[in-house]
Amino acid sequence: MKQREPFQKFYNTTAWKQCREGYKRYVGGLCERCLAEGLITPGVIVHHKIHLTPELACDPAVALSYDNLELLCWHHHEEEHKGRMKKRFEVDNAGRVIARD
């Protein structure tokens, strides 16, 4: 499987997984941006405000700091990255999940 980023191994570490789950609990599991807009939406992805680079992924003060994290819904995470992330799947009109090329 081709890795999306050269530092993708970071996202498979125990430290990141524990940090991510702890952060979700810490903020109550809701999308922080939706909440600021008065909406109640589950958060699904812990986003790094300062985007990680290979160097920053090795710096716990950046990569694992709650100050640099934000829990987002898919909509706000995609908006943050402005479509730079290619979707691997889509849902057709019948509700079936289809892999994208």
Side-chain angles (χ1 to χ4, degrees):
M1 179 181 202
K2 182 178 175 184
Q3 292 182 339
R4 292 189 317 250
E5 301 286 348
F7 51 90
Q8 190 65 31
K9 288 182 184 181
F10 165 78
Y11 292 110
N12 292 319
T13 65
T14 300
W16 169 245
K17 290 176 183 178
Q18 290 176 343
C19 179
R20 179 187 66 208
E21 294 308 312
Y23 187 77
K24 286 180 183 179
R25 286 191 301 277
Y26 176 74
V27 297
L30 299 175
C31 173
E32 295 179 71
R33 293 190 190 175
C34 284
L35 202 55
E37 297 169 2
L39 302 171
I40 305 297
T41 308
V44 294
I45 189 160
V46 176
H47 169 72
H48 286 93
K49 295 175 192 176
I50 298 171
H51 297 184
L52 294 187
T53 63
E55 296 77 26
L56 291 178
C58 296
D59 183 352
V62 176
L64 301 175
S65 171
Y66 280 14
D67 290 336
N68 188 37
L69 301 178
E70 185 177 28
L71 183 58
L72 301 176
C73 63
W74 285 118
H75 168 78
H76 280 112
H77 191 252
E78 186 171 312
E79 185 178 83
E80 174 67 27
H81 289 279
K82 298 185 183 13
R84 289 184 300 163
M85 297 175 59
K86 182 180 178 189
K87 293 182 183 178
R88 295 184 299 165
F89 301 94
E90 62 183 277
V91 178
D92 69 10
N93 291 336
R96 295 179 298 242
V97 177
I98 300 169
R100 296 181 78 177
D101 295 330

